[in-house]
Amino acid sequence: VLKIGEFSSLSGVSPKRLRYYDAIGLFHPAWTDPATGYRFYSPAQLPELYRILALADLGVGLAEVAGLVAGGDDLTMVLRRRRRELEAERTALERRLAAIHVALDRDEHGDPVGIVTRRVEAQPVASLTAAVDPGDHLEPLFDEIEAHVRDHDARAPRPPALVVHDRTGRRLSIEIVVPVTRPVPEIGRITNRMLDACAVASLIHRGGYDGLDRRRRRLRTWLRTTGLQPVGPLRIVYLQFSGDAALRLPAPFLAGSDASFVTELQQPIEAVP
Amino acid sequence: VLKIGEFSSLSGVSPKRLRYYDAIGLFHPAWTDPATGYRFYSPAQLPELYRILALADLGVGLAEVAGLVAGGDDLTMVLRRRRRELEAERTALERRLAAIHVALDRDEHGDPVGIVTRRVEAQPVASLTAAVDPGDHLEPLFDEIEAHVRDHDARAPRPPALVVHDRTGRRLSIEIVVPVTRPVPEIGRITNRMLDACAVASLIHRGGYDGLDRRRRRLRTWLRTTGLQPVGPLRIVYLQFSGDAALRLPAPFLAGSDASFVTELQQPIEAVP
DNA sequence: TTGCTCCTCACGTCACGTGAGGTGGC
DNA sequence: TTGCTCCTCACGTCACGTGAGGTGGC
């Protein structure tokens, strides 16, 4: 007995929304004039409408709301699920706020934003493990394993990486990993293994390697602020680097000078995305 | 020098997403083969891509990200705005969680969900103010003002309401408001006024008036839990009620028996939506 | 008759994901 | 040659809001 406009201002729901709810079968007028198509509503329908609105306000999807008002679904279960979803959203939201906090802080120091979480895939690699002193040159180790992989024609066109294992006393246990298309013979310190898939927080560094330590500290700060837990050794991925031409390294990853080096720090974390 | 699939697994960004970023002009391949349409990327592009991803992860819109990477916009300002938006989202999210908490609690008591926040419009009314004792019958007061409005042919087809003003000692200061199309002569306790537009928390009650007190308490609990502040006197709106036919009340709001009465409790609150 | 309200399409939103149907490169 | 990858449309998502163009009722 009320036209759509009257019922709209009575209920605070726009006519468009009322028509939409009618169209999807969620909430129909008390009567529709078949001649004109005019919709007529009664104030007695308000309890039903408000129940729908209350659920929609909680962010329950309209399809689910329909299931509830039809009486088939269990309200308690739907609300519990919705609560879990909202709690997950809250966690993500807090993380974003923390990340913005760090970014604003860094931004004022002139540093650009650039830390990202993502998944990395598993990949087969040849691996060379060694204990080194801080400051040691790692180039001979890279050359050793790259030459071995080259000699067995197994180089996969992916970037090499350094995995920083534990620190034993003053010495560092490190591992150089080189992507391969198939296993290579295991001789000396060289073995084959699978580099696991995992979620990582990733920061990209451009330029020479002297800046890397600062970036590592930055990544640690970021993890602490966003509350993400590290779960494995840091991986340093060489995306643009230089090496002896005789090693026949995959061309896409070679750069001319220090200034154009690109290095990615990947800190494995508990799964996020 | 990397095909889209290789660059995709290197960066963790899906090929679809890379093509999309290319299409909207946000991030282009280093080179596109005009003959085949194949896209080719370089690892040297990763810093740029990660900057984009980091901003997108914060929920910054891609149009805005484009403005930032182009260098035109100010990162600090964008991040500050984004923080404000996220803080608003957090407030809304906490409110929803609180509302779910109440709903689950009530649900287990067998009560359905149904509290909603919305805006109500301003409307001209005739108003009758009186001080009453709790338990007094208000019907004579309704009849008095409805008869006056009827006599001056000014009744608007909207529901009447009771505004519950302060409690002075044991007595209640109440106001009966009747929607009008134009002012009526002011005699005795009857005046004309505008009922203000405001945001309200609204609960709908179905059935006789004995259940109303419980609903009022429920509404108060809900407000406390969700952290919304009341800012004015409660309005009790009579959506389905009964009255003497001689009053010529607007038909859509009349109901037969107590069981089909519908009453809305509107508690004005600080603006939300 | 003039406004005002109502009606039904059709399109846009946001950042992609999901096929469909077809081609290029080893 | 066979797979595998790449390509370009076209459509779906979610809950409506925003017009466009036209009609009904006082």
Side-chain angles (χ1 to χ4, degrees):
Chain A
V1 259
L2 296 173
K3 287 195 287 183
I4 197 166
E6 296 161 339
F7 189 67
S8 168
S9 65
L10 191 66
S11 63
V13 177
S14 74
K16 295 275 182 185
R17 194 172 172 187
L18 288 169
R19 285 191 202 103
Y20 179 64
Y21 283 4
D22 186 15
I24 64 170
L26 180 56
F27 179 74
H28 296 296
W31 183 65
T32 303
D33 185 335
T36 63
Y38 275 38
R39 295 168 177 81
F40 295 95
Y41 296 85
S42 158
Q45 296 183 270
L46 282 168
E48 191 190 346
L49 180 58
Y50 272 55
R51 192 167 148 70
I52 290 169
L53 294 182
L55 289 165
D57 279 358
L58 297 178
V60 177
L62 295 191
E64 212 154 19
V65 173
L68 286 169
V69 296
D73 301 356
D74 178 21
L75 178 61
T76 303
M77 273 185 49
V78 169
L79 290 181
R80 290 217 175 109
R81 175 149 37 86
R82 186 67 194 135
R83 182 170 58 185
R84 282 198 303 278
E85 291 165 5
L86 286 174
E87 278 161 355
E89 279 179 40
R90 178 168 58 183
T91 305
L93 198 149
E94 298 290 0
R95 240 192 258 304
R96 283 178 168 188
L97 276 168
I100 286 188
H101 178 75
V102 181
L104 275 169
D105 209 33
R106 292 298 161 178
D107 179 35
E108 269 141 28
H109 291 72
D111 272 336
V113 189
I115 300 177
V116 154
T117 61
R118 65 185 190 93
R119 293 200 59 78
V120 295
E121 299 163 13
Q123 57 173 330
V125 293
S127 155
L128 184 159
T129 303
V132 298
D133 286 314
D136 277 5
H137 277 258
L138 303 178
E139 275 173 49
L141 300 175
F142 274 97
D143 291 353
E144 177 183 340
I145 186 169
E146 287 282 11
H148 184 68
V149 171
R150 174 205 59 196
D151 291 345
H152 296 279
D153 204 25
R155 191 64 164 86
R158 311 191 107 248
L162 179 68
V163 183
V164 185
H165 290 285
D166 302 324
R167 183 182 298 256
T168 3
R170 290 178 47 246
R171 295 177 71 94
L172 290 173
S173 169
I174 58 141
E175 178 188 9
I176 294 168
V177 295
V178 167
V180 292
T181 53
R182 55 199 156 113
V184 292
E186 307 201 332
I187 47 164
R189 309 182 276 193
I190 297 175
T191 59
N192 296 291
R193 77 173 185 105
M194 224 26 209
L195 203 59
D196 295 336
C198 63
V200 301
S202 157
L203 181 159
I204 290 212
H205 169 64
R206 163 177 255 156
Y209 299 134
D210 4 332
L212 267 188
D213 268 355
R214 194 161 59 85
R215 303 301 169 128
R216 285 174 68 167
R217 283 196 298 276
R218 164 116 62 105
L219 188 52
R220 275 200 296 272
T221 303
W222 190 88
L223 285 167
R224 215 175 319 118
T225 311
T226 58
L228 290 168
Q229 294 300 323
V231 294
L234 182 73
R235 301 176 182 181
I236 302 175
V237 183
Y238 299 92
L239 296 163
Q240 294 279 279
F241 64 104
S242 68
D244 193 329
L247 291 171
R248 298 203 304 270
L249 298 166
F253 302 103
L254 295 180
S257 66
D258 275 31
S260 54
F261 283 3
V262 174
T263 314
E264 179 178 7
L265 300 180
Q266 295 181 346
Q267 175 58 59
I269 51 176
E270 18 146 31
V272 188
Chain B
V1 259
L2 296 174
K3 286 197 287 184
I4 197 166
E6 296 160 339
F7 189 67
S8 168
S9 66
L10 191 66
S11 63
V13 177
S14 74
K16 295 278 183 184
R17 193 171 171 188
L18 288 169
R19 285 193 203 102
Y20 179 64
Y21 283 4
D22 185 16
I24 64 171
L26 180 56
F27 178 74
H28 297 298
W31 182 65
T32 303
D33 184 335
T36 63
Y38 274 39
R39 295 170 177 82
F40 295 94
Y41 296 86
S42 159
Q45 295 183 271
L46 281 168
E48 190 189 346
L49 179 58
Y50 272 56
R51 193 168 147 70
I52 289 169
L53 294 183
L55 290 164
D57 279 358
L58 297 178
V60 177
L62 296 191
E64 212 154 20
V65 173
L68 287 169
V69 296
D73 300 357
D74 178 21
L75 179 62
T76 304
M77 272 185 50
V78 169
L79 290 181
R80 290 218 174 108
R81 175 148 38 85
R82 186 67 194 135
R83 182 170 59 186
R84 282 198 302 278
E85 291 166 5
L86 286 175
E87 278 161 355
E89 278 178 41
R90 177 168 59 184
T91 305
L93 199 150
E94 297 291 358
R95 241 193 257 305
R96 283 178 169 187
L97 276 169
I100 285 186
H101 178 76
V102 182
L104 274 169
D105 210 33
R106 293 297 163 179
D107 178 35
E108 269 140 29
H109 290 74
D111 270 336
V113 189
I115 300 176
V116 155
T117 60
R118 64 183 192 95
R119 294 201 57 81
V120 296
E121 298 163 13
Q123 57 173 329
V125 293
S127 156
L128 183 159
T129 303
V132 298
D133 286 315
D136 277 3
H137 278 257
L138 303 178
E139 275 175 48
L141 299 174
F142 274 97
D143 291 352
E144 176 183 339
I145 186 170
E146 286 282 10
H148 184 68
V149 171
R150 173 205 60 196
D151 291 345
H152 295 280
D153 204 24
R155 191 64 164 87
R158 313 191 105 247
L162 179 68
V163 182
V164 185
H165 290 284
D166 301 323
R167 184 182 297 256
T168 3
R170 290 179 47 248
R171 296 178 70 93
L172 289 174
S173 169
I174 58 140
E175 177 188 10
I176 293 167
V177 296
V178 167
V180 292
T181 53
R182 55 197 156 119
V184 293
E186 306 200 335
I187 45 165
R189 311 181 275 191
I190 296 175
T191 58
N192 296 290
R193 79 170 183 106
M194 229 18 214
L195 203 59
D196 295 336
C198 63
V200 300
S202 158
L203 182 159
I204 290 212
H205 169 65
R206 163 176 255 155
Y209 298 133
D210 4 330
L212 267 189
D213 269 354
R214 195 161 60 86
R215 303 300 170 130
R216 285 175 68 167
R217 282 195 298 275
R218 164 118 60 108
L219 189 52
R220 275 200 296 271
T221 303
W222 191 88
L223 285 168
R224 217 175 320 118
T225 311
T226 57
L228 290 168
Q229 294 300 323
V231 295
L234 183 72
R235 301 176 183 182
I236 302 174
V237 182
Y238 299 93
L239 295 163
Q240 295 279 282
F241 64 104
S242 69
D244 193 329
L247 291 171
R248 299 203 304 272
L249 297 165
F253 302 102
L254 295 180
S257 65
D258 275 31
S260 55
F261 284 2
V262 174
T263 314
E264 179 178 8
L265 300 180
Q266 296 181 345
Q267 175 58 58
I269 52 176
E270 19 145 31
V272 188

